[in-house]
Amino acid sequence: MPVSDERKIILVIRPTRLDELIARFNTVQQAQFYVEHLGADFSDYLAEKKRYEAAITEVEASLRAVARVQRLERRYLANFVFGADDVIVVLGQDGLVANTLKYLDGQPVLGVNPDPMRWDGLLLPFNTKSLPRVIGEALKNRRPIKRVSMAKATLNTGAVIHAVNDLFIGPQSHVSARYVLHAEEREERQSSSGIIVSTGMGSTGWLKSLYSGWLGAASTLGIEHDRATLDMSFAWDADYLRYFVREPFPSRTTGTSIVAGLVSESQPLTIVSEMPEHGVIFSDGIEADFLEFNSGTRAVVTIAERQGALVV
């Protein structure tokens, strides 16, 4: 197939565990000493890095045979300007696919599993061998697309953050979050360990663990319940979100009557911070990339106008 002059492929990669250790300890030898000193198997770190680097070489060669390719490291995602016609290839894991999707505006994303023996890859339907066949079809828009709804938090400071899996609104450290919650035409002042707002894609992750804990506690305490009604997973392209308040604390000034529910375009979730410091909002588990959420800051959470597009 001739190289395309019309579309560019962005190949998104990430550092391996060993790369991150080398950045921390300066050399492979020092990283090895650290890992083995703790009794862990350093050979697994070496094997993972070797396989991932081989996958990068193989994937990049396949892509360059059909189009222009630009390699993009994960740390530059937030500041990179994607072209409207770009095709994005993400070389696993699942978290890298989710983290990439939230910076896009409808560009197609192909998730490639660099090491199927290591990663399950729910969002990685392709591997290095199937990619050459699939990429040509994707460049011509001949592959099916699975739409992914996103969450969006807009602050009264003008800042905005998107999430593919979930938003966390709460304290940066292990202290109580204090805020006023407006949901479903009700309002309540609360103290909790934070609020999770989940998309359909994220509903089988953090949200599921929260409901599972709730279910387990009810079972332990002998409270009757219907397990089926507590399965809160929902479609990836749903036009709503779900929120869950973690560990709400009842007191003279804080309540616990609004603990879970739906968020939609017509029914947003509004939170006004009462935390003098250390309040944050971050998405998809990336704690380092956060918005400050301190006293007086108002966050309006709703479904995002744009959706992610996963090639399947």
Side-chain angles (χ1 to χ4, degrees):
M1 181 181 295
V3 175
S4 170
D5 293 326
E6 298 179 358
R7 306 186 75 175
K8 182 171 65 175
I9 298 173
I10 309 298
L11 174 59
V12 182
I13 61 173
R14 57 162 294 166
T16 64
R17 293 178 300 163
L18 182 52
D19 290 326
E20 292 173 339
L21 283 173
I22 294 171
R24 180 180 174 187
F25 294 105
N26 298 319
T27 68
V28 174
Q29 292 75 18
Q30 288 176 307
Q32 180 175 2
F33 175 79
Y34 171 78
V35 170
E36 292 182 343
H37 182 70
L38 295 176
D41 180 12
F42 188 71
S43 65
D44 187 56
Y45 290 78
L46 291 169
E48 178 190 352
K49 179 176 173 62
K50 181 179 180 180
R51 175 62 196 132
Y52 190 65
E53 289 180 343
I56 292 174
T57 300
E58 185 176 357
V59 165
E60 193 163 7
S62 298
L63 299 178
R64 290 194 183 281
V66 296
R68 294 174 295 140
V69 179
Q70 180 173 350
R71 190 188 295 190
L72 178 64
E73 295 183 17
R74 179 183 62 184
R75 57 181 169 163
Y76 299 123
L77 274 171
N79 298 314
F80 188 79
V81 179
F82 291 91
D85 291 327
D86 288 348
V87 174
I88 291 60
V89 175
V90 179
L91 193 57
Q93 307 140 311
D94 283 342
L96 185 59
V97 176
N99 195 33
T100 300
L101 279 171
K102 68 183 179 184
Y103 296 111
L104 301 175
D105 190 10
Q107 294 93 333
V109 175
L110 289 81
V112 180
N113 194 332
D115 192 351
M117 297 299 293
R118 183 181 296 273
W119 312 117
D120 292 335
L122 179 64
L123 305 182
L124 308 170
F126 309 112
N127 56 45
T128 58
K129 303 304 180 186
S130 63
L131 182 61
R133 171 181 56 84
V134 173
I135 189 60
E137 297 174 350
L139 287 167
K140 295 178 181 178
N141 296 323
R142 293 178 180 172
R143 294 292 306 183
I145 296 290
K146 189 167 188 175
R147 298 293 173 181
V148 179
S149 297
M150 290 187 274
K152 181 179 76 169
T154 305
L155 307 190
N156 56 351
T157 61
V160 176
I161 188 169
H162 287 80
V164 173
N165 287 321
D166 39 54
L167 290 166
F168 172 80
I169 302 128
Q172 192 172 36
S173 56
H174 190 63
V175 295
S176 294
R178 299 186 70 88
Y179 52 87
V180 178
L181 180 64
H182 304 257
E184 302 171 60
E185 300 183 352
R186 294 187 294 162
E187 176 179 315
E188 185 172 67
R189 176 169 279 104
Q190 293 186 343
S191 175
S192 74
S193 59
I195 303 169
I196 302 300
V197 182
S198 177
T199 67
M201 179 180 283
S203 64
T204 55
W206 202 349
L207 185 69
K208 181 178 180 180
S209 70
L210 291 170
Y211 277 109
S212 296
W214 190 9
L215 189 66
S219 298
T220 300
L221 295 173
I223 300 172
E224 295 184 3
H225 55 79
D226 182 357
R227 178 177 292 271
T229 63
L230 290 177
D231 180 8
M232 292 300 178
S233 60
F234 54 103
W236 287 8
D237 61 350
D239 61 354
Y240 63 89
L241 313 167
R242 288 192 181 275
Y243 72 89
F244 189 101
V245 178
R246 304 193 316 166
E247 304 169 329
F249 183 75
S251 71
R252 292 181 179 179
T253 58
T254 57
T256 60
S257 65
I258 309 175
V259 295
L262 296 180
V263 181
S264 65
E265 183 179 357
S266 61
Q267 189 173 283
L269 189 71
T270 302
I271 309 104
V272 180
S273 176
E274 294 188 337
M275 294 174 280
E277 58 182 356
H278 304 310
V280 297
I281 301 178
F282 63 80
S283 64
D284 302 325
I286 310 297
E287 296 184 42
D289 185 14
F290 66 89
L291 300 181
E292 291 188 358
F293 188 59
N294 296 322
S295 294
T297 307
R298 176 185 290 103
V300 178
V301 180
T302 187
I303 196 89
E305 298 88 350
R306 53 188 171 88
Q307 288 185 314
L310 279 177
V311 176
V312 294

